[in-house]
């Protein structure tokens, strides 16, 4: 009988040591003609854009026209998913809030989680209670 | 993290006004930067209120290993919404059935958390005896409180707060300074139970906390998540009108970086904060 090693799978714990931002790219799309991208164009020409992009040096930002369409923000994440937010008729501060959210997001699907605020991969610190061990009372 | 410093410096209002009173029980590294800016501004300006009128601030005590990282950094000591009661007993109960632990001496009176940083940290004899054992036994857990709600955390856990914490961005490091229980497998350090009756019955009182100099709990802001869009139909009887209410909430996600219980040597190295009963 050969002793076999226990297979362990490395678990992803982003932020425990190093922290990697999950968003890798954000596209800003606007239209020169349509009025719905008025706020988007003012955002792109304002110093808000430079302030926002300078806070995240690890993220790629692209600005490109998208004619005859509403303006959108499109974020690409490390897990391969992408999220797009339509920002038609929004002011530039609102667009900044949307961009802040997209950068901070993890790229996963929005799931309804009830009650599970703490998710742990560790074993229980105090162990599991057993009726066979300890605390046995004599009747 | 260092890339956000110029954007902080560009906020001109941050340097001019008084530091904001954070009511929540966390200290972000952003407020750290802001406090650093405040200090530099305050030394330069002459129109400065006297010291006793300034908002209460004190430095959180870092361990000796991390003092070199931020020697001049000062944290805002956050005021709790309800000041915790003065009496705070600290029990150390060993779970092993040894006769000395069965006494479960709970004589120690650590001062309350708000005034604790000005008052010396008092350790009872039982705490002096059991605190090294608690420190050595390595996997620790902590029951940390945010806005009075308890969260049982171990190192590496993901905490999804039930609210959107404002003023933090991903990558920030927070330090939680409110905790009611520290523990390992065999040892538990609990805050006193002076107020727990009202806390348990109606959930209105402030729970008692441990002294924040005893431990370090660091959290990293991982990101911001949302739930799905929820639709709720509002309809009254005998009325054809119906309204649909949409809601989509945001939640801040944190990860526990470090849970560290300071041992007696580290507590001794803090200047004039320790007073040992013998």
């Amino acid at each position: 009988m050969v002793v076999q090693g226990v297979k362990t799978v490395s678990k992803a714990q982003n932020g425990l040591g190093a922290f990697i931002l999950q968003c890798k790219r954000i596209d800003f799309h606007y239209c020169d003609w349509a009025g719905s991208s008025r706020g988007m164009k003012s955002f792109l020409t304002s110093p808000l854009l430079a302030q926002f992009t300078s806070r995240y040096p690890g993220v790629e930002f692209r600005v490109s026209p998208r004619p005859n369409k509403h303006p959108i923000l499109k974020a690409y994440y490390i897990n391969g998913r992408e999220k797009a937010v339509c920002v038609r008729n929004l002011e530039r501060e609102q667009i900044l809030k949307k961009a802040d959210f997209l950068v901070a997001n993890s790229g996963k699907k929005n799931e309804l989680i009830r009650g599970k605020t703490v998710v742990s991969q560790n074993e229980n610190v105090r162990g599991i209670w057993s009726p066979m061990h300890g605390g046995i009372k004599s009747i | 993290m260092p890339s956000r410093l110029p954007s902080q410096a560009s906020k001109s209002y941050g340097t001019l006004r008084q530091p904001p009173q954070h009511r929540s029980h966390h200290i972000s590294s952003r407020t750290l930067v802001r406090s650093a800016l405040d200090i530099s501004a305050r030394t330069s300006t002459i129109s400065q209120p006297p010291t006793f009128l300034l908002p209460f601030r004190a430095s959180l005590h870092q361990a000796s290993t991390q003092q070199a990282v931020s020697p001049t950094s000062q944290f805002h000591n956050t005021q709790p919404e309800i000041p915790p009661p003065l009496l705070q007993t600290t029990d150390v109960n060993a779970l092993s059935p040894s006769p000395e632990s069965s006494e479960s001496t709970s004589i120690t009176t650590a001062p309350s958390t708000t005034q604790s940083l000005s008052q010396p940290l008092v350790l009872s004899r039982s705490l002096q005896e059991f605190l090294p054992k608690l420190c050595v036994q390595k996997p620790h857990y902590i029951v940390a409180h945010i806005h009075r709600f308890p969260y049982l955390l171990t190192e590496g856990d993901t905490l999804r707060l039930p609210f959107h914490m404002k003023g933090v961005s991903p990558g920030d490091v927070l330090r939680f300074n409110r905790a009611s229980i520290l523990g390992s497998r065999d040892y538990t350090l609990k805050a006193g139970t002076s107020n727990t009756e009202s806390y348990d019955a109606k959930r209105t009182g402030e729970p008692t906390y441990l002294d924040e100099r005893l431990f370090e709990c660091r959290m990293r802001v991982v990101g911001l998540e949302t739930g799905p869009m929820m639709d709720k139909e509002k309809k009254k009887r005998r009325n054809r009108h119906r309204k649909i209410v949409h809601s989509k909430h945001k939640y801040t996600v944190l990860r526990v970086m470090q849970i560290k219980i300071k041992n007696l040597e580290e507590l001794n190295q803090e200047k004039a904060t320790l007073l040992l009963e013998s």
Side-chain angles (χ1 to χ4, degrees), chain A residues 76 79 95:
Chain A
Y76 298 83
N79 60 1
I95 295 174

Side-chain angles (χ1 to χ4, degrees), chain B residues 5 42 49 59 64 72 96 101 113 119 145 156 169 172 189 200 266:
Chain B
L5 290 175
R42 187 166 293 148
S59 59
S64 58
T72 59
S96 56
S101 64
T113 329
Q119 291 178 6
H145 290 249
S169 59
D172 283 357
L189 177 61
D200 285 339
E266 284 170 343

Side-chain angles (χ1 to χ4, degrees), chain A residues 12-19 21 54-57 101 104-106 110-113 117-120 122 125-127, chain B residues 3 7 95 139 141 152 154-160 170-171 184-185 188 220 222-228 255-257:
Chain A
Q13 287 181 314
N14 183 23
L16 184 64
F19 174 68
L21 201 64
S54 64
R55 280 162 56 199
Y56 301 101
F101 167 70
N105 201 280
S106 65
N110 295 335
E111 287 176 348
L112 181 62
I113 299 175
T117 52
V118 181
V119 177
S120 180
N122 303 333
V125 174
R126 301 266 304 259
Chain B
S3 64
S7 70
L95 299 182
Y141 70 95
L152 196 153
T154 56
E155 216 159 86
D157 286 0
T158 307
L159 169 62
R160 180 175 145 135
S184 64
R185 186 178 172 95
T188 307
R220 173 159 266 148
V222 173
L224 194 58
E225 284 186 5
T226 55
R255 172 152 257 147
V256 185
M257 290 175 72

Side-chain angles (χ1 to χ4, degrees), chain B residues 121-181:
Chain B
L121 176 68
V122 183
L123 300 180
S124 72
R125 198 184 301 151
S126 68
L127 198 57
Q128 291 175 43
E129 185 184 353
F130 288 112
L131 191 61
K133 297 177 182 172
L134 174 64
C135 291
V136 166
Q137 207 174 33
K138 196 48 187 162
H140 293 307
Y141 70 95
I142 186 172
V143 176
H145 290 249
I146 307 165
H147 294 319
R148 213 192 61 196
F149 287 109
Y151 301 99
L152 196 153
L153 304 171
T154 56
E155 216 159 86
D157 286 0
T158 307
L159 169 62
R160 180 175 145 135
L161 292 175
F163 56 90
H164 171 26
M165 187 184 279
K166 299 287 172 59
V168 295
S169 59
D172 283 357
V173 179
L174 313 180
R175 179 168 167 196
F176 286 0
N177 60 348
R178 297 282 186 271
S180 55
I181 296 174

